[in-house]
Amino acid sequence: MDSKQAAHLLATLLDTYRGSELSSDREFFMRLAFHFRDIARLSYSLYGGRSHLEEWTRRLVDLLYTQYRARPRRAREVDRVRERNPKWYLSNQLVSTMLYVDRFAGNLAGLRRRIGHFRDLGVNLVHLMPLLDCPAGANDGGYAVRDYRAVDPRIGSMDELVALIEAFHDDGILVQLDLVVNHTSDQHQWAQRAAAGDQRYQDYYYMYEDRSIPDQFEASMPEVFPQSAPGNFTWLPEVERWVMTVFHEYQWDLNYTNPDVFLEMLDVMLYLSNCGADVLRLDAVPYLWKKIGTTGQNLDEAHTILRLFRVCASIVAPAVALMAEAVVQPAEIVRYFGTDDYAGRECEMAYHVSLMVLLWDCIATRSTRLLRRGLESMPEIPRNATWFTYIRCHDDIGLGYADQDIRACGLDPFLHRRFIVDYFTGRYPGSTATGSPFMVNLRTGDARISGSAASLLGLESAIERGDRHGIETAIDCLIMLYAIVCSIGGIPIIYYGDEVGYLNDYSYLDEPDKREDNRWMHRPRIDWNKMARSQDCVTVEGRVFARMKQLIARRKELPEFAADFPAQMMDPANEHVVAYLRYCADYRTLVLANVSDVTQIVSFDVLEESGIDPSAADVLSGRPAQIEGEYVVLRPYAFLWLRHSVFGESAPSQTTQAVTTQTREHTR
Ligand code: OTU
């Protein structure tokens, strides 16, 4: 559709609204007019072949208007603030955490009583893991949604959620919710109707009477859960149909080639936005469009769907940022920020999966070679996009490096991945890690890793051995990784439990519907007696907590840690040390981190190249680095944030007051 046709269509649509509507909701119609060309273009590219496109567009606009009118006043105010400051999420002020409401605090009411914990730690963006209504028993941690408009009654109600989000906002804490866009539970009413034979709802899914089409799909589609859910289709005896189930058999893939499905999910997205969410995490986005003869991942149409979601949200709920969950190859991940005309206009955030796995690689190999190679070969991201930086989340750690990067480091991709899995599952001689292999694929030899960060770093085994030195080393290593995550650019995620060095939680083995999925070992049930030790500096929990808290507080004081400019990788001429420079107009900070268990030295050259004086103070300790001759000394797993001010002062920081005001701005 060209711009003339789009303008004509818009004029026809606007004609049907009353003058009173146009004037009282001017804001909506202005935004609609501004974005309409994109709506028309993207819709046409997805569904252009259909006869009812105009009628469909009319339904889409009606839906947007209805959701705009339902948008609460307070949310509209945030919209206006963020429209004036559209890159709000690049700020160094943001630090996030993610947690399961039930495992963290029992229920929503319990979580409300824990707001003080977040305030104490300094996190101000809380991702509440899936909390919508889902079947009891196996539900993939809530990623099998039965009702997108109801909260899981076991943890509370929708009214409670909305009130909780308001309470968070009052405290300057933002909230992120999941939008499970790719599939529904087999108990969702659409699925139930489909299973009862209703054609309309069968068309919401990929359903087939016999194997002929499923077999064609299978020929090129990989398996996500080869051990627990092999194949991509499930037989439904009640309707005698095959249904596409890429993940578990109880998660039915939505069929976005049906334009009605897009409208349904758009409505869900705006509904959740209107509940007050600041960030929506779009689950499994690479899978949104399937085509025979492809892997069914990362197809262009999946990007078009996301762009259309983004444009629509910009009209109704511009305050809401969209985060892509795409655990795919590095070159594919960055495409979720948008490309070409839509660069920076798809999802503005994504998990930095590549950094995550490369950091674990450093720990196993004691070398930064692959990390440097991997980060250097990452394409640049649009200026308004940002990463969520993290060392682990609720999922397994998949070894999704780019094979060519592994080869460029002189390693064999297959053997190297096997080494990494062996290392973190404690099978490699000398490894102190206690993780478990996840989803071993006997056919491809592929495997991923489960385990809490602290356990993977040897804390669990050191405590078991009563090895005090081992305990300190594991803590140092955990903090060093978080020091990178907090400084390399993007929004750091403090995975819940890591703030006190939580170990693997094996209680999932006693839960029948979780026993088969060892990702639950790193989704701990929080014991608040243990958490209380965070206030006691002689305990492991207290030592980890104090240092995490300090990292977070310092990060917020350093404007050069904002995501406006990418980190510049430096060469410290020592493969065991990561070095990168962060800068803004007034300050620059050189980050040095020793990823090995041996003391390392770094020549002054890298300081000179970074414009940092060897006498510069480390932001965290307030003291200059330890120096031997012309070298900086880094003890095992030590790191430094060496800061230089163009004003020539020594490491000044913004006042705490300025920091708080800025955070508040986000939620206003
Ligand atoms: C996501 O992860 C969730 O994070 C998982 O917890 C869910 O099980 C899953 O979706 C299904 O809802 O396979 O190993 O590229 O890799 O969506 C993690 C994205 C996963 C997929 C990702 C998926």
Side-chain angles (χ1 to χ4, degrees):
M1 191 179 301
D2 64 25
S3 51
K4 230 165 132 193
Q5 288 164 309
H8 177 72
L9 178 56
L10 177 65
T12 334
L13 291 177
L14 290 181
D15 253 1
T16 60
Y17 290 101
R18 286 193 305 271
S20 58
E21 289 172 322
L22 294 174
S23 62
S24 66
D25 293 323
R26 202 162 164 266
E27 177 179 65
F28 172 80
F29 290 102
M30 296 282 283
R31 288 189 196 140
L32 178 67
F34 182 77
H35 292 292
F36 192 77
R37 198 172 156 221
D38 283 317
I39 292 197
R41 212 168 135 186
L42 295 164
S43 312
Y44 188 78
S45 114
L46 275 179
Y47 304 124
R50 325 262 160 163
S51 50
H52 304 300
L53 189 64
E54 240 183 84
E55 161 57 20
W56 182 84
T57 311
R58 136 115 279 149
R59 281 165 59 208
L60 181 138
V61 170
D62 276 347
L63 184 161
L64 297 181
Y65 190 38
T66 308
Q67 288 291 2
Y68 171 79
R69 297 185 70 159
R71 188 149 174 85
R73 191 185 50 81
R74 195 169 162 176
R76 290 194 194 181
E77 280 164 18
V78 185
D79 288 335
R80 289 164 203 148
V81 170
R82 293 191 188 151
E83 276 184 318
R84 286 195 299 274
N85 177 23
K87 297 200 233 171
W88 58 273
Y89 47 80
L90 299 186
S91 167
N92 59 306
Q93 299 295 306
L94 283 173
V95 178
S96 81
T97 188
M98 60 192 288
L99 54 91
Y100 291 91
V101 174
D102 58 341
R103 297 176 89 77
F104 187 81
N107 54 28
L108 291 174
L111 183 61
R112 195 166 182 159
R113 289 193 293 273
R114 298 297 176 193
I115 293 186
H117 176 76
F118 306 122
R119 224 185 292 128
D120 186 17
L121 180 60
V123 298
N124 48 22
L125 168 57
V126 179
H127 172 196
L128 305 177
M129 296 290 292
L131 42 65
L132 298 180
D133 179 43
C134 60
N139 57 37
D140 194 18
Y143 284 105
V145 181
R146 179 164 55 192
D147 182 351
Y148 290 98
R149 289 176 178 79
V151 165
D152 183 344
R154 286 161 293 206
I155 62 157
S157 67
M158 197 44 98
D159 287 343
E160 261 180 288
L161 175 64
V162 170
L164 176 66
I165 295 177
E166 275 178 17
F168 272 123
H169 285 174
D170 287 341
D171 257 328
I173 297 172
L174 309 187
V175 177
Q176 176 176 342
L177 296 178
D178 279 271
L179 175 57
V180 188
V181 265
N182 176 68
H183 43 263
T184 72
S185 153
D186 61 353
Q187 304 294 307
H188 191 284
Q189 59 159 321
W190 303 332
Q192 297 276 287
R193 289 185 189 169
D198 186 333
Q199 182 66 49
R200 168 160 179 221
Y201 291 99
Q202 291 189 350
D203 292 344
Y204 274 36
Y205 301 95
Y206 293 90
M207 280 196 155
Y208 306 99
E209 282 169 32
D210 58 45
R211 283 297 304 185
S212 58
I213 297 176
D215 283 344
Q216 293 177 50
F217 272 114
E218 288 287 15
S220 51
M221 277 171 93
E223 297 169 282
V224 180
F225 297 132
Q227 269 183 328
S228 58
N232 289 290
F233 287 85
T234 299
W235 174 247
L236 306 172
E238 61 273 44
V239 269
E240 304 194 317
R241 294 264 191 299
W242 289 95
V243 65
M244 188 187 285
T245 53
V246 168
F247 294 87
H248 297 95
E249 61 198 30
Y250 53 81
Q251 289 164 309
W252 293 12
D253 288 70
L254 284 164
N255 185 348
Y256 280 88
T257 66
N258 175 353
D260 287 346
V261 169
F262 179 86
L263 292 186
E264 294 273 17
M265 293 311 289
L266 174 64
D267 204 38
V268 168
M269 177 179 89
L270 297 173
Y271 172 82
L272 292 174
S273 304
N274 284 352
C275 291
D278 300 279
V279 179
L280 290 178
R281 171 195 181 278
L282 307 189
D283 184 57
V285 292
Y287 298 85
L288 288 179
W289 197 274
K290 284 90 171 175
K291 225 186 280 177
I292 289 171
T294 71
T295 58
Q297 291 182 37
N298 307 313
L299 299 183
D300 287 345
E301 290 86 346
H303 292 281
T304 310
I305 291 172
L306 293 169
R307 290 166 191 186
L308 194 51
F309 275 142
R310 176 64 271 175
V311 178
C312 293
S314 298
I315 294 172
V316 175
V320 174
L322 301 182
M323 190 248 215
E325 191 257 346
V327 185
V328 290
Q329 292 276 302
E332 291 292 345
I333 299 178
V334 295
R335 292 183 58 218
Y336 290 93
F337 293 127
T339 48
D340 307 317
D341 280 1
Y342 287 89
R345 299 203 294 139
E346 198 170 311
C347 291
E348 38 281 293
M349 306 164 162
Y351 282 114
H352 204 332
V353 186
S354 313
L355 173 70
M356 185 271 292
V357 42
L358 290 165
L359 287 173
W360 289 105
D361 191 273
C362 290
I363 300 306
T365 62
R366 271 76 165 162
S367 160
T368 65
R369 270 202 304 166
L370 196 48
L371 173 85
R372 281 194 57 190
R373 171 83 203 183
L375 292 183
E376 276 161 10
S377 56
M378 288 289 297
E380 255 190 63
I381 68 172
R383 273 296 156 86
N384 67 326
T386 195
W387 296 111
F388 270 87
T389 55
Y390 66 121
I391 57 170
R392 78 144 318 110
C393 67
H394 68 294
D395 279 328
D396 49 288
I397 298 170
L399 305 179
Y401 326 86
D403 281 357
Q404 66 269 28
D405 290 338
I406 308 185
R407 285 200 198 91
C409 292
L411 300 163
D412 174 81
F414 179 79
L415 294 175
H416 187 65
R417 286 198 176 89
R418 179 181 292 173
F419 158 69
I420 300 290
V421 172
D422 284 350
Y423 183 88
F424 288 112
T425 53
R427 288 186 295 216
Y428 188 79
S431 160
T432 56
T434 38
S436 294
F438 177 73
M439 290 295 149
V440 181
N441 189 330
L442 295 174
R443 212 157 35 78
T444 59
D446 183 44
R448 288 117 76 175
I449 300 155
S450 285
S452 83
S455 291
L456 293 176
L457 296 174
L459 185 60
E460 186 172 328
S461 63
I463 291 175
E464 260 165 31
R465 291 193 308 274
D467 171 358
R468 290 181 54 180
H469 176 72
I471 293 174
E472 290 321 308
T473 310
I475 295 179
D476 287 344
C477 190
L478 178 68
I479 300 297
M480 181 273 293
L481 288 175
Y482 269 104
I484 293 177
V485 158
C486 285
S487 64
I488 200 161
I491 304 172
I493 306 176
I494 317 292
Y495 184 63
Y496 85 109
D498 282 0
E499 70 269 44
V500 292
Y502 240 88
L503 306 178
N504 291 337
D505 180 346
Y506 299 103
S507 66
Y508 79 99
L509 291 169
D510 304 325
E511 298 181 67
D513 51 275
K514 301 196 166 66
R515 196 183 296 149
E516 299 299 315
D517 187 341
N518 68 22
R519 291 179 296 176
W520 290 99
M521 69 198 276
H522 54 258
R523 299 169 178 179
R525 281 189 185 283
I526 296 299
D527 167 356
W528 283 91
N529 291 321
K530 181 177 161 73
M531 204 54 124
R533 295 205 284 270
S534 64
Q535 304 303 317
D536 177 356
C537 277
V538 303
T539 61
V540 167
E541 292 81 3
R543 293 204 299 283
V544 175
F545 192 81
R547 293 176 71 186
M548 286 283 207
K549 205 173 142 162
Q550 194 206 18
L551 284 179
I552 294 170
R554 293 290 92 79
R555 163 187 161 87
K556 291 183 182 172
E557 291 169 359
L558 309 185
E560 64 272 35
F561 282 2
D564 299 65
F565 299 102
Q568 185 181 326
M569 297 308 286
M570 304 298 294
D571 181 5
N574 177 335
E575 72 162 290
H576 309 288
V577 176
V578 191
Y580 52 86
L581 186 63
R582 303 303 318 276
Y583 50 87
C584 63
D586 303 333
Y587 301 99
R588 63 180 84 183
T589 291
L590 175 67
V591 175
L592 294 173
N594 177 0
V595 302
S596 80
D597 51 354
V598 176
T599 297
Q600 301 293 337
I601 53 170
V602 169
S603 123
F604 280 179
D605 292 352
V606 65
L607 276 70
E608 202 170 296
E609 280 161 27
S610 310
I612 305 277
D613 194 88
S615 66
D618 165 40
V619 174
L620 289 138
S621 64
R623 292 189 304 269
Q626 186 192 336
I627 284 167
E628 298 265 351
E630 303 245 300
Y631 294 92
V632 172
V633 179
L634 287 161
R635 297 164 58 78
Y637 302 121
F639 61 90
L640 294 166
W641 290 356
L642 297 174
R643 192 169 201 232
H644 174 88
S645 152
V646 297
F647 309 122
E649 311 151 34
S650 63
S653 58
Q654 290 173 293
T655 64
T656 320
Q657 185 159 22
V659 171
T660 354
T661 336
Q662 251 185 305
T663 318
R664 301 251 147 172
E665 267 294 284
H666 297 315
T667 53
R668 283 268 160 75

